[in-house]
Amino acid sequence: MKLKAALPLLAAALLLPSCSAGGNTGNPVELVFWTTTSESESLFFRQMITEFENTHPNIRVTLLEKALSSAGNEYKNAILGGQSIDVLRADNTWIPEYADLDIIMPLDRLAADRELSRFVPTALSAVTYQGQVYGLPSVMEVPALMYNKALLKEAGYDNPPQTMDELKTMAQALSGPDRYGLYVTEDSYFALPFVWAFGGDTVTADRKIEISSAASQMAFAFMRELRTEGASQPYAGFDGWYDTMMHDFGVGKAAMVINGPWAVADLLKTKEFADPNNLGVAPVPKGPAGQGSPIGGHSLVINRYSEHPKESYELISFLTSEEVQARQSLSLRTLPTRSDVYEDPRLASEYLLQSFKEPLSLARSQPMIPESSKLYRDFTKNLNAMLLGRESPREGAQRIEAAWKSILKLE
């Protein structure tokens, strides 16, 4: 049975218990909250939930930790199976599909316009599908150019590269027997700033595939040149690429990387960045036709068939409030999703947090289509082949396009 077809029957079934529960109004409402957070983030959430329960004695919350890699499908299966779930911390790329399947609740009737207006516009756009808001943004993520200030200064550079040409020139100058300029990854998420810089695109909102355009192919050719013309890491492949990139950057072997705010806490534990002032953060350089990095993140959504939508909204509103966002940022070094938090005096002196404001101002949304989360597998596989020279930019881009036509059912 298809999920969307089965959901009306599930909704009818879920209404039955609530009709017979009218005499239990004195009992606390029990909410089930699935989270995809790391260990430290889950600990923070538990502390905040305790505070929430203290101020909402009629609500009790059970927090269940789920692996991010499998939670997306697990949630869909759980809803079909009638499991009691009220709130989910969802990757933003899941939201269009969930909204299309009608398994998350639009918040327009629960959330006041005034409250929604306090969120960063790009964060709010990432949870908006076909004109309706489906979640409250909890964490924002945006890739930026991170650089070792001391290494750049040693090579004669006082500022990070501003253009793609400067990026290549500086990375070449920073490369030598014991060091290289820039780590270039096979992960297609981190390729989007290059694609957009050269005027390319992935899939438009009206489902037009742009990945094989001449502009997109120019971006892939440029990324390949970084590898072949002495600007990037000397390794033959990409096995364990993220750990390798983080290690090399942390010990001074890589002068620049493209990474997100989630990496800051770990980088500050390394030799090179024991002094936080040595870690530079700047937008990924602009190209001949544009600039921007993909806005990513995680948001709190409500099960469309929750028996407790009002209480669920009270929970997610509390967890994304100005005070909780500020404390979350200070504790976990995450980027706040609310505009007012950036003006909080406690965060004003947070150099690294403030450094991400410019990359955020240039951020772009990923395709808001139900299949969005499914596009990266074929993109990454063929990007790997292009960077290693097994496919030309034209061949790789056309193979990605062919795979996406199948996923989007355009053939």
Side-chain angles (χ1 to χ4, degrees):
M1 182 184 296
K2 291 185 177 179
L3 178 59
K4 195 168 184 178
L7 288 173
L9 299 176
L10 175 60
L14 286 173
L15 289 173
L16 295 176
S18 63
C19 295
S20 61
N24 296 328
T25 54
N27 295 330
V29 169
E30 300 282 346
L31 299 181
V32 176
F33 175 13
W34 278 21
T35 183
T36 54
T37 43
S38 65
E39 184 178 347
S40 59
E41 291 172 310
S42 295
L43 177 60
F44 178 83
F45 264 154
R46 291 187 190 282
Q47 293 169 343
M48 294 303 101
I49 287 171
T50 297
E51 293 188 18
F52 173 80
E53 291 176 334
N54 288 340
T55 57
H56 297 74
N58 63 316
I59 304 175
R60 290 291 175 264
V61 182
T62 298
L63 185 71
L64 299 178
E65 296 177 62
K66 299 291 179 178
L68 179 62
S69 59
S70 58
N73 286 326
E74 192 176 351
Y75 176 76
K76 289 186 289 186
N77 294 333
I79 299 305
L80 180 59
Q83 288 189 41
S84 177
I85 305 168
D86 298 287
V87 173
L88 169 71
R89 180 186 184 263
D91 186 287
N92 289 343
T93 61
W94 303 344
I95 289 177
E97 180 185 15
Y98 287 175
D100 192 59
L101 291 171
D102 198 25
I103 57 175
I104 54 176
M105 183 176 293
L107 302 182
D108 303 69
R109 293 184 180 180
L110 293 169
D113 290 342
R114 182 180 177 186
E115 180 176 8
L116 294 178
S117 69
R118 291 171 177 158
F119 287 95
V120 175
T122 48
L124 198 61
S125 69
V127 297
T128 303
Y129 178 66
Q130 295 186 347
Q132 290 189 298
V133 175
Y134 282 92
L136 295 185
S138 176
V139 173
M140 279 198 304
E141 298 170 348
V142 61
L145 182 72
M146 296 184 177
Y147 59 97
N148 187 315
K149 291 183 179 180
L151 293 183
L152 263 66
K153 191 168 187 63
E154 181 184 308
Y157 298 106
D158 293 325
N159 298 299
Q162 303 298 307
T163 67
M164 285 291 169
D165 285 343
E166 287 182 7
L167 176 67
K168 181 178 177 181
T169 299
M170 289 175 63
Q172 289 171 327
L174 285 158
S175 297
D178 302 315
R179 190 172 69 209
Y180 58 89
L182 173 72
Y183 192 100
V184 177
T185 172
E186 65 172 349
D187 190 307
S188 53
Y189 177 73
F190 295 95
L192 293 177
F194 293 96
V195 172
W196 292 332
F198 283 86
D201 206 348
T202 53
V203 179
T204 63
D206 58 359
R207 304 171 72 82
K208 182 181 179 182
I209 298 174
E210 298 282 353
I211 198 65
S212 64
S213 67
S216 296
Q217 291 181 39
M218 286 176 60
F220 301 140
F222 179 81
M223 293 179 70
R224 170 68 177 160
E225 288 172 6
L226 292 174
R227 280 185 55 83
T228 60
E229 296 183 13
S232 73
Q233 71 272 20
Y235 311 127
F238 296 97
D239 291 344
W241 72 266
Y242 188 81
D243 289 342
T244 300
M245 177 179 72
M246 287 288 285
H247 170 269
D248 288 1
F249 193 46
V251 299
K253 189 172 182 179
M256 298 181 287
V257 299
I258 295 174
N259 211 337
W262 58 84
V264 169
D266 289 332
L267 288 172
L268 296 184
K269 299 174 186 176
T270 65
K271 174 179 70 71
E272 288 294 312
F273 306 111
D275 176 3
N277 291 318
N278 191 41
L279 178 59
V281 177
V284 177
K286 62 185 176 183
Q291 186 175 21
S293 288
I295 187 72
H298 303 270
S299 300
L300 304 181
V301 301
I302 299 174
N303 177 4
R304 171 68 176 82
Y305 303 100
S306 168
E307 295 180 36
H308 310 293
K310 177 179 177 293
E311 292 81 1
S312 296
Y313 183 77
E314 289 179 35
L315 173 63
I316 68 174
S317 181
F318 175 84
L319 292 176
T320 56
S321 64
E322 181 180 355
E323 175 61 21
V324 172
Q325 282 269 300
R327 291 164 63 182
Q328 177 176 285
S329 182
L330 288 168
S331 174
L332 303 171
R333 296 188 178 273
T334 56
L335 297 183
T337 59
R338 294 174 62 110
S339 302
D340 45 14
V341 178
Y342 286 90
E343 308 307 320
D344 190 304
R346 291 170 291 180
L347 276 63
S349 61
E350 289 290 313
Y351 156 73
L352 288 171
L353 171 68
Q354 299 299 333
S355 295
F356 276 97
K357 289 179 71 173
E358 188 176 1
L360 279 172
S361 71
L362 298 168
R364 294 176 54 170
S365 295
Q366 299 174 69
M368 292 301 291
I369 57 175
E371 302 88 351
S372 180
S373 63
K374 301 176 183 177
L375 302 179
Y376 290 99
R377 181 188 62 190
D378 292 288
F379 191 174
T380 295
K381 179 177 69 175
N382 286 283
L383 180 60
N384 172 291
M386 287 185 278
L387 293 177
L388 297 181
R390 296 200 299 264
E391 294 174 2
S392 69
R394 178 183 175 85
E395 291 168 338
Q398 289 179 340
R399 289 181 180 179
I400 298 169
E401 180 183 44
W404 287 2
K405 282 183 177 179
S406 177
I407 292 171
L408 299 177
K409 297 180 172 56
L410 298 179
E411 294 181 319

